[in-house]
Amino acid sequence: MIPAANRSSIWLDRLKPYTERADIPHDLIVEGKLSRMVGLTLEAIGCRAAIGSRCEIETKSGRMIEAEVVGFSGSKVFLMPTAEVHGLEPDCRVIPMGKNSLAKVGFGLLGRVLDGAGNPLDDKGPLRTTAQISLNGTPINPLSRKPIREPLDVGVRAINSILAVGRGQRMGLFAGTGVGKSILLGMMTKFTNADIVVVGLVGERGREVNEFVLKILGEEGLKRAVIIASPADCPPLMRVHGALLATSVAEYFRDQGKDVLLLMDSLTRFAQAHREIALAIDEPPATKGYPPSVFAKLPHLVERAGNADEGGGSITAFYTVLAEGDDTNDPIADAARGVLDGHIVLSRALADSGHFPAIDIEASISRVMTDIADANHLKLARDLRRLYSLYQQNRDLISVGAYQPGSDPRIDKAIEKHPAIVEFLQQDMDESVSIAQSLHQLELLLNLR
């Protein structure tokens, strides 16, 4: 136990760097005490701290627990801890640190695996960072952003040919559980033509972190990647920070002129973490248990990705959206569709039949494809979609033998091409197919070459 006199001296030393800063008035650094804890929310009285700023709570044993200000009501300040809260009791000291959350960034992050607080999870020593930036980012004037005009090769044939992705685009990957979204993300991580890859594993199973690093990325892939992991057992604030940190790291590299691929698994877990925080501070639920603030946070996060201004780099982002019960119209999925530049839907029926990647091309769309693909590419994609949809619409008649060949030349062609189309849309997870190869194979499939 640290004597009271020594603790005061220690805290004067800790607060000195912040009290000396010109942007933090002295009267804002007012200590308080812990008065109440309900669920994950801590209530403090007597202290003054701004939303988003950090506080440290001192237990009777001298252990320090960091927390972030998430709300206030009258003289009460609501705090959300960033770590375990064992040892807290009434009247613990609450000391505002006078600073907001910052992300440490730099090229020394490449090849590293971090937690939501930016601390290393691997055994590669301390981080070599060169700058600090805000965890909440700085908005870019939408009129100064570069338009999306350049295609991005993701190495997946079905996407390159039918759902072309542009550099700086933000796509959603909609899927239920166990239909292969993590494997598809891993393929894009390895095969995408990008300078740097930033992966945010938010709220998913802890075992997937090591599997993603060892099996999917591998040693070579990790050299140009940064992994931020906030598994499901982390406090909700750390899951939120994991998503914000991944975006901040991607923004830093974009501002250095790099083309960045940002993969976040998953946007749904980010929203659920925000829901836990909002409900804990008594925000009323609105839509299926989600408070209104959750739907305001989604575009704030997603809009940070995309192209920089002229001369800068880009962030091409893929966000997985978990369709609970395979319902792609749940509130988060519906809100995500409204703020993203397209969506790729994975079908459980296709996955159960062994079709991988299980992309439902009828339900998927890329909203910028018309801006990045030439007329020939667009025509090929439309023709394949037309043949595939025509077969699916008449599938039952064909299966039971009720359709008579020769009744409709279009259906006859769809039946003839269907096995080749199904084979074309499938791909081994270790196989990479470029845009040029995808288009060449598509032309051969449609007998145009």
Side-chain angles (χ1 to χ4, degrees), residues 349-379:
L350 290 175
D352 290 344
S353 66
H355 182 116
F356 180 83
I359 299 174
D360 184 349
I361 64 171
E362 290 183 291
S364 305
I365 189 172
S366 172
R367 292 179 178 172
V368 304
M369 185 171 178
T370 54
D371 297 324
I372 61 175
D374 58 31
N376 181 57
H377 186 173
L378 293 174
K379 182 180 183 304

Side-chain angles (χ1 to χ4, degrees), residues 188-268:
M188 290 188 287
T189 303
K190 290 188 294 183
F191 302 149
T192 297
N193 182 21
D195 298 325
I196 291 170
V197 178
V198 180
V199 181
L201 302 176
V202 179
E204 297 298 320
R205 293 178 290 273
R207 68 169 180 81
E208 291 184 341
V209 178
N210 202 37
E211 288 183 1
F212 193 93
V213 173
L214 296 179
K215 293 184 179 180
I216 297 177
L217 265 183
E219 187 175 344
E220 284 300 315
L222 188 59
K223 289 180 181 179
R224 62 165 184 155
V226 182
I227 312 294
I228 290 93
S230 295
D233 60 341
C234 291
L237 190 63
M238 277 296 96
R239 281 176 265 149
V240 169
H241 280 190
L244 297 178
L245 178 59
T247 307
S248 295
V249 171
E251 285 177 321
Y252 169 78
F253 288 121
R254 177 187 63 189
D255 293 342
Q256 305 305 308
K258 301 297 183 181
D259 291 320
V260 182
L261 175 67
L262 172 63
L263 304 174
M264 191 170 295
D265 188 11
S266 70
L267 193 64
T268 303

Side-chain angles (χ1 to χ4, degrees), residues 55-372:
C55 296
E56 285 196 318
I57 305 169
E58 181 185 16
T59 66
K60 299 300 182 182
S61 64
R63 175 174 171 245
M64 308 309 303
I65 297 174
E66 193 169 273
E68 183 174 307
V69 179
V70 295
F72 58 85
S73 176
S75 61
K76 296 185 294 184
V77 174
F78 301 133
L79 305 167
M80 188 67 65
T82 62
E84 291 294 330
V85 294
H86 297 300
L88 287 181
E89 54 186 286
D91 296 333
C92 286
R93 293 177 67 196
V94 179
I95 304 97
M97 300 305 294
K99 61 175 182 177
N100 292 328
S101 300
L102 297 173
K104 296 180 179 180
V105 292
F107 282 88
L109 295 181
L110 294 176
R112 302 303 301 267
V113 182
L114 316 177
D115 63 11
N119 301 314
L121 290 174
D122 49 26
D123 297 322
K124 298 181 179 180
L127 298 175
R128 298 188 302 276
T129 56
T130 56
Q132 288 186 329
I133 60 176
S134 171
L135 204 61
N136 292 302
T138 302
I140 298 177
N141 186 331
L143 293 179
S144 65
R145 283 185 186 266
K146 290 186 300 184
I148 300 173
R149 294 292 182 267
E150 183 182 350
L152 180 72
D153 191 344
V154 299
V156 180
R157 181 168 47 229
I159 298 176
N160 281 340
S161 58
I162 312 300
L163 303 163
V165 175
R167 200 175 293 277
Q169 187 174 356
R170 297 158 303 192
M171 290 284 282
L173 192 60
F174 291 69
T177 56
V179 296
K181 64 180 184 300
S182 296
I183 296 177
L184 182 56
L185 278 182
M187 291 175 64
M188 290 188 287
T189 303
K190 290 188 294 183
F191 302 149
T192 297
N193 182 21
D195 298 325
I196 291 170
V197 178
V198 180
V199 181
L201 302 176
V202 179
E204 297 298 320
R205 293 178 290 273
R207 68 169 180 81
E208 291 184 341
V209 178
N210 202 37
E211 288 183 1
F212 193 93
V213 173
L214 296 179
K215 293 184 179 180
I216 297 177
L217 265 183
E219 187 175 344
E220 284 300 315
L222 188 59
K223 289 180 181 179
R224 62 165 184 155
V226 182
I227 312 294
I228 290 93
S230 295
D233 60 341
C234 291
L237 190 63
M238 277 296 96
R239 281 176 265 149
V240 169
H241 280 190
L244 297 178
L245 178 59
T247 307
S248 295
V249 171
E251 285 177 321
Y252 169 78
F253 288 121
R254 177 187 63 189
D255 293 342
Q256 305 305 308
K258 301 297 183 181
D259 291 320
V260 182
L261 175 67
L262 172 63
L263 304 174
M264 191 170 295
D265 188 11
S266 70
L267 193 64
T268 303
R269 302 303 186 198
F270 168 79
Q272 290 173 344
H274 260 300
R275 177 175 63 180
E276 292 179 43
I277 295 172
L279 293 177
I281 59 175
D282 294 331
E283 184 180 350
T287 307
K288 290 192 176 180
Y290 286 97
S293 63
V294 172
F295 300 100
K297 295 292 184 180
L298 290 178
H300 177 74
L301 178 71
V302 170
E303 284 294 327
R304 293 172 61 183
N307 286 332
D309 52 13
E310 293 294 340
S314 66
I315 300 175
T316 307
F318 284 86
Y319 300 93
T320 66
V321 179
L322 181 62
E324 297 186 9
D326 293 334
D327 179 15
T328 57
N329 292 311
D330 74 77
I332 298 304
D334 195 48
R337 265 195 301 270
V339 297
L340 294 170
D341 301 321
H343 50 270
I344 299 171
V345 178
L346 300 187
S347 163
R348 184 172 300 278
L350 290 175
D352 290 344
S353 66
H355 182 116
F356 180 83
I359 299 174
D360 184 349
I361 64 171
E362 290 183 291
S364 305
I365 189 172
S366 172
R367 292 179 178 172
V368 304
M369 185 171 178
T370 54
D371 297 324
I372 61 175

